[in-house]
Amino acid sequence: MSNVSDEPYERLQILEAEILAALKLYPNEADTRFKALDRILIEIMGWPRETISTEPPTESGYIDYLIKSNQGRSLFIIEAKKAGLLHPETKSDQKMVISLDGPVAKPMKEGIKQALGYATEQGVPVAALTDGMTWLFFRASRVDGRPPLKGKGILFPSWKAVTDYFVPFSELLAPKSVLDKRHLAHLNDAEGYTVSEAEQQYTVYPPTDARMRPRDPMASDAAELFAQFFSRLSNDQDKEMLRDCFVETAESHKADLELEKIIQNVLNNVASISTDRGGALQDQLERAMISKRSETVLLIGNKGSGKSTFIDRFFDHILPASIRKRCLLARVDLAESTGSSINAVDWCIFQLRNIIEKDICSGNSPEYDELQGIFFSEYQRMSRGSFKHLYESDKNQFKIEFGRHIEGRRESHPDEYVRLLLARAASGHGLLPCLIFDNTDQFPLEIQDKVYQLAHSLESAAPVFNIVPITDRSVWRLSKAGALQSYASRSFYLPVPDAKEIISRRVVFIKNKLQREKKSPESYFSRRGFRVQINDIMIMADAVENVFVHSDFVTSLIGRLGNFDIRRMLKLAERIFVSPELKVDDIIKSRFGGPDITANLYRTHRALIKGEYDRFSEIENAFITNVFATDQNKPGSPLLPYYCLYVLRQKANAARSGESDDRHWLADDLCSYFDHCGVPEDLTLRTLQRIHKRSLIETLDPNAEDVGLSDRVAIKENGVAHLDLIMSSTVYLEQMALVTGLADLSVRDQVKKLLVSANSQKFVQIRDIFIRYLLKMDAARLEIPSTRPFASLNEARRLFRNRVVEDRPQHRSGGDYPARRPASRPRRKNL
């Protein structure tokens, strides 16, 4: 049983007896639908009620069931008959493929025609005919010139056939399968349309054969030293470095100033506090203290933007000590949880309980007198009410009973106990609880929403200051519904600074740290004999600074390829530096009397693409994607991924310029868009799934593992970077030409021939041969209409075609093409 059908099958087993009992009474059509079909569709298959229309009128009559997507697109219809009415001409209980005009379907022909009529009027591709026990699925709208009644259908002649073949049955009827068009795949198989479209592909250098390039001893020593240095540079456990190297941005300063104006308007008689004492976040905190009102702050930024570091830095260094000592800091880090979505909120409550107890109690756990103070209202109620006589006759026994009572409340009602702790902290200790709910992004949106709701619910217990770090995608989704829409909060955007600033600060930090460290008499001896003391790691810092801090083109590229995730950007920097392409051993030699050497764009691109290997391979390169690779079993246009990225970037640009309110595009609509270009829906969907897996695009739901037709997708910075590589990097095109599967053997042979004694002129030829091949295959497999909605695609094709032009002027710097020289003077050595 496939995982897709596990849950529906379990629900079927629970409801099967009730449904069969109802059907065996041979109810009329209305009762059949109410007692059986409604339950199958909604309770077993899981269709939301709002997606099902019953009895919608048409010119031919009333449709029994019209199923639509959440976006209102009609998916399929069901023609229902009373239980026991359908009697296919077969005694078999096996699932089978039948002709719609054949003898088996003859008793059902009237219902088939009825369903076909409704489907044609609604433009619905699939129809089903059923009486609850017998089910027939078939294509209703056709574009192959064949009359619908000449088609074939998939018949489940009995309830036994439904249960015995439940996996294909559910894939014909379940929401996820229908939205992903798996039901059409089954029907295509039934009609014999599954014809192999596989093509033979030839590669110059098969990427699966990639091998690490051998190093000479000195290069190996240098690479090892730099790898050690970069591990120090990217150490997420070094809280001191993370805090001291946090980069403030112009946007955060502007947010501080704007928020201060809002605070001044609210507080009226409370003196404004200058932002140099901590900014708007400090202002919000002081407002909560003075006014005794709770505040909630959303700290918004993308994954890896340093939200957690910002909070640490704020409370440890920015906030004045006089205010900090009046704060009870309770940080709940969901990254430390078990990861269970079911228990996430309960886990947060238990963490708050343990943290607050330690801060307001004299020891690691509360003493009896402290618990009595926390539950003082309960103590008074019991001593004057239900336990009055015990209190008056035996106070010691009363305390024992009260102790049992409050321990039971502490364990069985931890949420109530946390509220009492918060109240005690505020009223008994004069502290402002500052509650931080960190790393909620690893959980589904509904859990993030519940954690946010928990934070707000605690405001009723005492004045609290909530901080909820959250991604911009989560904010967009949660703002449409749920707690984020219902409660007031203040928002701070925390943009990721560029890679240059991040690396620069960390290099300076390590330099300063090295200068303070005790000098070590031990030295590192290379196999080539040069000596590097531990303090001479400063050489590494100087080299990294020289390449990354002083070369904007490098840091700009790795920022986008890393989707501005600090951890990924540092990994990219390390990849470049330890690649043999950059020749870091030459940098070491320059420090010991050799010629000075710096990185250039061409060399950097090769380091990014090839790393430490002799060719590009996606298996070892998580940052660069071969956009032109096609599936040899079902090939499409090699430019389809490029087109998808291009139109998604146009969509994002429109959103940024205010022409649109959403940078995301529904995958179903994007598939329909390319369907007008002759691209099958499943091919577009598989293309989106591939570039999503490679982090070039994102889904609106941050927890979606794959792209389905009902998902909304948008381009990521990595996707934008790949568009830039396609349009401006000769290295990218040359390297992809060598590892991409080519359907034309003669093209492969042309490229291989040019690689013999290759020089810069020949690599330009290789690039242009590859581009012409891609355009030829694209023209054969994708036809772009000339109408206005497809202007972006035509523009994308024109821009790519222009990459063939060999006579455009070149600059001597700033691009990855060396300046043009006479043909007799090669511009660079071979790869």
Side-chain angles (χ1 to χ4, degrees), residues 426-468:
S427 61
H429 296 267
L431 297 175
L432 174 64
C434 299
L435 313 181
I436 302 164
F437 298 89
D438 203 2
N439 287 312
T440 62
D441 302 342
Q442 62 182 303
F443 288 93
L445 284 172
E446 59 268 23
I447 300 303
Q448 295 183 45
D449 187 61
K450 289 180 180 179
V451 171
Y452 183 71
Q453 190 167 358
L454 168 66
H456 273 288
S457 71
L458 296 175
E459 294 179 354
S460 62
V464 297
F465 185 70
N466 289 313
I467 303 177
V468 183

Side-chain angles (χ1 to χ4, degrees), residues 156-172:
F156 298 82
S158 65
W159 185 262
K160 187 176 186 302
V162 169
T163 55
D164 287 351
Y165 299 92
F166 189 74
V167 171
F169 179 81
S170 64
E171 291 194 338
L172 285 161

Side-chain angles (χ1 to χ4, degrees), residues 193-202 630-636 683 686 742-743 777 781:
Y193 287 167
T194 306
V195 179
S196 176
E197 301 175 31
E199 66 181 12
Q200 181 69 44
Q201 291 187 349
Y202 311 90
T630 58
D631 183 352
Q632 64 179 6
N633 293 316
K634 191 168 184 180
L683 198 56
R686 284 193 291 125
L742 307 171
M777 301 305 294
R781 295 172 175 174

Side-chain angles (χ1 to χ4, degrees), residues 368 379 383 387-402:
Y368 185 92
Y379 186 89
S383 65
F387 283 79
K388 176 182 178 181
H389 297 296
L390 180 61
Y391 176 78
E392 292 176 348
S393 62
D394 191 344
K395 287 188 178 180
N396 192 52
Q397 185 62 35
F398 171 82
K399 287 187 175 184
I400 293 173
E401 294 296 330
F402 181 71

Side-chain angles (χ1 to χ4, degrees), residues 394-555:
D394 191 344
K395 287 188 178 180
N396 192 52
Q397 185 62 35
F398 171 82
K399 287 187 175 184
I400 293 173
E401 294 296 330
F402 181 71
R404 291 197 184 102
H405 169 75
I406 60 178
E407 182 62 19
R409 295 292 288 274
R410 179 182 179 275
E411 291 298 323
S412 60
H413 296 83
D415 53 337
E416 177 188 305
Y417 179 58
V418 165
R419 294 172 189 276
L420 292 174
L421 288 173
L422 293 172
R424 183 68 176 174
S427 61
H429 296 267
L431 297 175
L432 174 64
C434 299
L435 313 181
I436 302 164
F437 298 89
D438 203 2
N439 287 312
T440 62
D441 302 342
Q442 62 182 303
F443 288 93
L445 284 172
E446 59 268 23
I447 300 303
Q448 295 183 45
D449 187 61
K450 289 180 180 179
V451 171
Y452 183 71
Q453 190 167 358
L454 168 66
H456 273 288
S457 71
L458 296 175
E459 294 179 354
S460 62
V464 297
F465 185 70
N466 289 313
I467 303 177
V468 183
I470 194 170
T471 64
D472 48 0
R473 278 194 294 167
S474 295
V475 166
W476 195 93
R477 286 288 302 272
L478 293 174
S479 65
K480 302 302 179 183
L484 198 60
Q485 186 184 49
S486 304
Y487 299 105
S489 62
R490 305 282 179 168
S491 297
F492 296 84
Y493 180 63
L494 191 65
V496 180
D498 61 37
K500 175 180 177 178
E501 189 70 24
I502 293 169
I503 295 174
S504 174
R505 290 207 178 196
R506 295 191 180 201
V507 168
V508 170
F509 174 85
I510 291 177
K511 277 185 171 183
N512 293 335
K513 195 110 183 230
L514 288 171
Q515 290 173 350
R516 295 194 301 268
E517 287 181 357
K518 183 180 178 181
K519 290 186 178 295
S520 171
E522 296 182 6
S523 301
Y524 176 89
F525 290 92
S526 83
R527 282 165 286 184
R528 289 294 294 270
F530 72 86
R531 175 185 297 176
V532 179
Q533 289 188 345
I534 193 69
N535 294 88
D536 288 332
I537 293 179
M538 193 73 73
I539 297 172
M540 314 301 165
D542 290 340
V544 171
E545 194 171 38
N546 188 41
V547 172
F548 294 105
V549 178
H550 301 153
S551 304
D552 288 341
F553 67 82
V554 180
T555 51

